[in-house]
Amino acid sequence: MATPVMSYDPTDLLDVERIRADFPVLQRQVNGVPLIYLDNAATSQKPAVVIQAIENYYKSYNANVHRGVHALSEEATAAYEGARKKVAKFINARSSREVIFTRNATEAINLVAYSWGSANVKAGDEIIITDMEHHSNIVPWQLLAERTGAKLHFIPVTDEGYLDLAAYDALLNERTRLVAFTGMSNVLGTITPAEDIIARAHAAGAVALVDASQLVPHKGANVQALQADFMAFTGHKMCGPTGIGVLWGRRELLEAMPPFLGGGDMIREVHRDLSRWNDLPWKFEAGTPSIAEGIGLGIAVDYLNSVDLEKVHVHEQALTRHALERLRDIRGLTLYGPPAEDRGGVVSFYVEGIHPHDLATLLDQRGIAIRAGHHCAQPLIERLGVPATARASFYMYTTHAEIDALAEGLEAAKKVFGL
Amino acid sequence: MDAMSMYQEQILDHYQNPRNHGTLDEPVTIRREEYNPLCGDRLVLEMRVVDDKVEAVRFRGHGCAISQAAMSMLSEEIVGKSVDELKQLQKQDVLDLLGIPLSPARLKCALLSLKAVKAGVYGVPQYDIDEDDE
Ligand SMILES: Cc1ncc(COP(=O)(O)O)c(C=O)c1O
């Protein structure tokens, strides 16, 4: 019988060494030293099973989907549609018909802004987003507001890096059509109270969209528990390939929406004077889709299920706690965002006297990959009052030793700058 | 490329003690602001041209060591030059001033200063420097 664990050592929960062996790129060297990849918020690395699944599709059953009756096409269709079912189950969608494959999260959000937006938003209506959005959850709404004459409002961010929910309440009213917000900030790591935000939107009669690009890969998201209306996320941040993303939407909403792009695959019948749309989800998937990438995403979902995202989240919170402690000890370093218990594995910081790009270059010399800049979230960076930040972001394969190497690298960078 | 060699004393000196830093007293003949959206590097360059010669230069802004040091070095270089000579400045001139190898990603930082000078003297909304040019 197992003895009860008194204090959680996350390494007991997650076999990080075994996980690391699944990711071929983690074996490589950069500038003569082992790679320390701390840019997971930009994109995750890929396990060998995903890479093999893509290769296997091209090697053994490459064919277009939904079109042929020959063996290869049927195999490809089954694999591609099988991936959709895996994704649906992964986010607890009622039906895989609610899962639309897009190119990425950006396209998923644009799909809603164009299709749902043009049918449901008019002059004088209001849309609420937040000050901690990625540009992909800002610009489509600005464009929609411009097209329709609707007004765009922003939920402010507190000094501690939380959304100001009292201000949110004050923004909601009977003209609010949509609330679009991130489930987890790609800069501060803040995990937002999605259920609560959605419930308040519904109480005001508005529809809610969650940008779960950071949330799904690290913690998972259950669309029924959240009571969400739309959720967007992107394959390449969750061990899957680039070129594939997901829009999940409530079926009633999707059924009522006009198509986004027109073309093949999205129609049932086409005549000179009119066309009839295909059923969900294909109504929103015009043209030949990203077949290999869709199949790869399905395998990525299998992989995430096999490691168990709950354990990943606990592991990442322990890493974040460790990182916050180590970086707090560095003189002249400012940390942004809430305490570890309220965030995922993302840490943004600024070192007085060293521009983040110089930091990133000096860390790269030690094989450490971090991101420097505005992280496609300029309104938030402006709110923080710095021109740019450095960001380290973790995943299931990140180790405590790698975070120690980051802290040492930062001290060394300060020395180079004579600080 | 060796990052240490990127942060030689000379570069850090120009970064930490920029020459011609600040705001130029009137009259200002040319004022130009350049922004690198990728990095958030920002430069405001002011020049006074008298009898077709650059008499005084000031700049301010913020950004990485490379972008700010390059502007500081270039600012020293352009004082006393004619407008025609400024028009003839090339990418290589900036790289020679810096005297360090730069990765493609950091080349943008170095060339922001040249963009400010060129766009300023040509008086165009945007001056594109082809970074792939040899
Ligand atoms: C929170 C968030 N939303 C959206 C995106 C956009 O993802 P993609 O570029 O794959 O569409 C990103 C990633 O860059 C992100 O971090």
Side-chain angles (χ1 to χ4, degrees):
Chain A
M1 231 176 74
T3 34
V5 189
M6 298 312 286
S7 71
Y8 266 137
D9 178 355
T11 47
D12 291 344
L13 288 166
L14 211 58
D15 189 346
V16 175
E17 279 318 306
R18 224 196 63 210
I19 288 172
R20 290 182 69 83
D22 293 335
F23 290 80
V25 81
L26 297 180
Q27 315 303 319
R28 78 162 273 189
Q29 307 240 314
V30 171
N31 292 320
V33 285
L35 166 69
I36 296 179
Y37 185 75
L38 303 180
D39 196 16
N40 292 283
T43 198
S44 77
Q45 296 301 344
K46 322 300 175 201
V49 283
V50 167
I51 301 166
Q52 284 154 8
I54 293 167
E55 186 183 347
N56 186 38
Y57 160 73
Y58 283 121
K59 272 187 170 166
S60 33
Y61 60 101
N62 171 57
N64 212 326
V65 289
H66 308 141
R67 289 162 199 201
V69 292
H70 57 79
L72 265 56
S73 179
E74 289 195 344
E75 283 175 32
T77 303
Y80 181 73
E81 291 303 327
R84 191 192 309 278
K85 291 197 174 78
K86 290 177 188 179
V87 169
K89 199 156 166 241
F90 186 58
I91 58 171
N92 195 31
R94 272 183 209 89
S95 152
S96 65
R97 298 238 167 178
E98 297 183 326
V99 171
I100 297 156
F101 281 143
T102 60
R103 208 153 47 87
N104 46 36
T106 304
E107 188 177 283
I109 296 168
N110 275 280
L111 194 163
V112 177
Y114 276 89
S115 170
W116 181 89
S118 61
N120 293 282
V121 175
K122 53 183 193 321
D125 286 350
E126 297 180 11
I127 297 161
I128 298 177
I129 61 175
T130 88
D131 268 339
M132 60 163 90
E133 297 311 308
H134 187 278
H135 294 165
S136 61
N137 200 27
I138 302 175
V139 183
W141 308 118
Q142 287 176 331
L143 291 170
L144 175 63
E146 222 167 78
R147 278 198 308 275
T148 57
K151 260 183 86 173
L152 193 57
H153 294 290
F154 293 77
I155 306 173
V157 176
T158 68
D159 290 339
E160 295 76 34
Y162 296 104
L163 289 178
D164 182 342
L165 295 184
Y168 171 42
D169 279 336
L171 289 173
L172 281 166
N173 63 55
E174 70 286 351
R175 294 180 300 279
T176 310
R177 289 282 91 79
L178 176 100
V179 177
F181 66 99
T182 186
M184 173 177 151
S185 163
N186 65 314
V187 177
L188 302 175
T190 313
I191 294 174
T192 59
E195 243 182 281
D196 187 11
I197 294 170
I198 293 166
R200 295 185 203 202
H202 287 170
V207 158
L209 177 145
V210 191
D211 173 3
S213 300
Q214 297 292 343
L215 190 64
V216 163
H218 301 274
K219 201 166 180 271
N222 176 334
V223 291
Q224 292 193 61
L226 289 173
Q227 300 265 312
D229 299 302
F230 296 107
M231 187 167 87
F233 54 106
T234 198
H236 66 92
K237 293 187 203 283
M238 53 188 286
C239 296
T242 55
I244 187 87
V246 176
L247 172 67
W248 168 86
R250 262 200 306 124
R251 189 166 182 163
E252 312 85 82
L253 289 171
L254 294 173
E255 296 275 14
M257 281 157 56
F260 177 39
L261 301 173
D265 234 26
M266 53 74 69
I267 37 73
R268 184 191 304 284
E269 42 183 300
V270 176
H271 307 285
R272 285 219 174 84
D273 50 350
L274 93 162
S275 298
R276 289 188 210 289
W277 315 135
N278 202 341
D279 294 331
L280 286 176
W282 306 289
K283 176 170 101 178
F284 291 108
E285 292 182 13
T288 300
S290 299
I291 302 169
E293 290 77 4
I295 294 167
L297 179 60
I299 300 299
V301 165
D302 290 343
Y303 185 81
L304 294 179
N305 284 329
S306 76
V307 293
D308 187 346
L309 280 182
E310 251 173 71
K311 291 183 185 176
V312 170
H313 182 57
V314 173
H315 173 65
E316 290 181 1
Q317 284 198 312
L319 290 168
T320 304
R321 212 170 299 120
H322 184 57
L324 294 178
E325 275 165 21
R326 285 299 311 254
L327 299 196
R328 200 167 282 133
D329 283 345
I330 297 175
R331 275 213 0 244
L333 188 148
T334 308
L335 283 161
Y336 303 100
E341 58 267 26
D342 294 329
R343 64 159 110 192
V346 178
V347 175
S348 275
F349 55 93
Y350 188 81
V351 179
E352 193 58 43
I354 314 181
H355 190 275
H357 276 103
D358 298 317
L359 266 187
T361 298
L362 286 164
L363 290 172
D364 182 57
Q365 192 59 30
R366 299 173 156 244
I368 303 171
I370 65 153
R371 175 88 186 267
H374 53 56
H375 319 291
C376 299
Q378 274 183 328
L380 178 58
I381 299 297
E382 269 170 34
R383 167 71 178 82
L384 298 179
V386 282
T389 73
R391 177 186 75 186
S393 52
F394 318 133
Y395 210 4
M396 57 179 89
Y397 37 71
T398 307
T399 66
H400 281 55
E402 289 181 315
I403 287 165
D404 293 337
L406 169 68
E408 285 153 25
L410 291 172
E411 291 287 8
K414 281 180 59 185
K415 279 219 183 68
V416 172
F417 271 67
L419 299 169
Chain B
M1 186 213 10
D2 179 4
M4 298 314 254
S5 67
M6 256 179 79
Y7 298 98
Q8 293 162 348
E9 228 168 283
Q10 196 209 4
I11 305 263
L12 287 177
D13 180 41
H14 273 272
Y15 175 56
Q16 289 167 341
N17 310 294
R19 323 296 196 263
N20 297 311
H21 196 259
T23 307
L24 189 62
D25 294 335
E26 291 295 336
V28 174
T29 324
I30 294 169
R31 180 181 284 115
R32 182 69 202 179
E33 181 167 356
E34 282 294 326
Y35 177 58
N36 178 349
L38 187 73
C39 312
D41 292 345
R42 196 179 286 279
L43 287 175
V44 178
L45 174 69
E46 291 167 338
M47 294 186 272
R48 183 183 311 130
V49 181
V50 177
D51 293 336
D52 196 45
K53 282 240 172 348
V54 178
E55 191 193 78
V57 182
R58 290 286 183 278
F59 81 94
R60 51 192 185 275
H62 53 72
C64 66
I66 305 303
S67 73
Q68 303 299 306
M71 187 70 254
S72 171
M73 291 171 166
L74 193 58
S75 77
E76 289 189 312
E77 188 69 15
I78 60 185
V79 176
K81 282 208 159 41
S82 71
V83 169
D84 251 4
E85 284 172 312
L86 295 191
K87 286 182 177 171
Q88 255 135 64
L89 282 173
Q90 296 298 319
K91 166 184 147 190
Q92 193 55 44
D93 298 321
V94 179
L95 297 183
D96 290 345
L97 284 172
L98 286 164
I100 51 164
L102 285 175
S103 69
R106 301 309 297 269
L107 198 54
K108 272 201 170 48
C109 310
L111 295 182
L112 196 66
S113 54
L114 183 60
K115 279 181 94 156
V117 172
K118 295 274 226 181
V121 292
Y122 281 106
V124 291
Q126 195 175 331
Y127 186 87
D128 290 320
I129 298 167
D130 191 346
E131 283 146 23
D132 299 330
D133 272 358
E134 279 316 309

